[in-house]
Structures are given as structure tokens and as C-alpha cells.
Amino acid sequence: MQAAIKTLVQQFKHFAGSDGNAATLSKEEFRKLVISQLPDFVKDGSDPAVTDQLFKSIDVNDDGELNFMEFWKLIGQLATNSL
């Protein structure tokens, strides 16, 4: 499990850091992460309307960015749905 958590953190930072701020994911960074890392978990993830809706559903503080805890909420939802 340690390796899985480490990978999640690394991938978050990798995609979040593309705009210079590795602490949050913008909508575009999130879309790229979903397309490349979650193609089997997010149906139609390449559709901007799908990723925008998903983004809005986990952006708890509605600031237009996802911090790691908000991103972690998505991971929990995806894991629960795959059980």
C-alpha cells in the first residue's frame, strides 16, 4: 500500500506542478491527469464536460482548484465504485 500512496502523491504533484504550483490541480491539469492516469475509471474522461462536472463535484471549497485532500476524495469514490 505504501507504494500505491506514494504513486498517488507523485502523480498529483507531477500534474499539479505543470503550471508551477504543485499544491493544486487546475481544471486543465485535472483533465490531463484523468485522461492519462484514469482512463478505465472515468467514462468519457476526454470529454471536457465530463471532467468539468467531476471537478466541480470534488472542489469542496469551490475555489476552482483541487488540493490533495479534494483529489483524495475522488480516489476514494473511484475505489469504492470499483469494489
Side-chain angles (χ1 to χ4, degrees):
M1 260 196 292
Q2 288 183 165
I5 292 171
K6 185 176 181 179
T7 298
L8 286 168
V9 171
Q10 288 173 335
Q11 289 299 310
F12 178 88
K13 288 182 177 182
H14 170 76
F15 283 91
S18 70
D19 69 357
N21 179 5
T24 59
L25 289 166
S26 67
K27 282 186 180 181
E28 182 60 22
E29 291 167 333
F30 177 71
R31 188 179 71 75
K32 289 177 182 177
L33 183 149
V34 167
I35 290 169
S36 70
Q37 301 299 312
L38 301 170
D40 296 336
F41 285 94
V42 179
K43 185 178 178 186
D44 299 324
S46 60
D47 180 349
V50 170
T51 53
D52 282 352
Q53 180 63 32
L54 185 55
F55 186 94
K56 288 178 185 178
S57 74
I58 58 176
D59 184 13
V60 176
N61 61 3
D62 198 29
D63 67 352
E65 298 182 324
L66 298 179
N67 61 39
F68 188 78
M69 291 309 294
E70 291 168 325
F71 173 71
W72 190 254
K73 178 182 173 185
L74 170 67
I75 300 305
Q77 290 173 351
L78 295 175
T80 300
N81 292 336
S82 71
L83 293 176

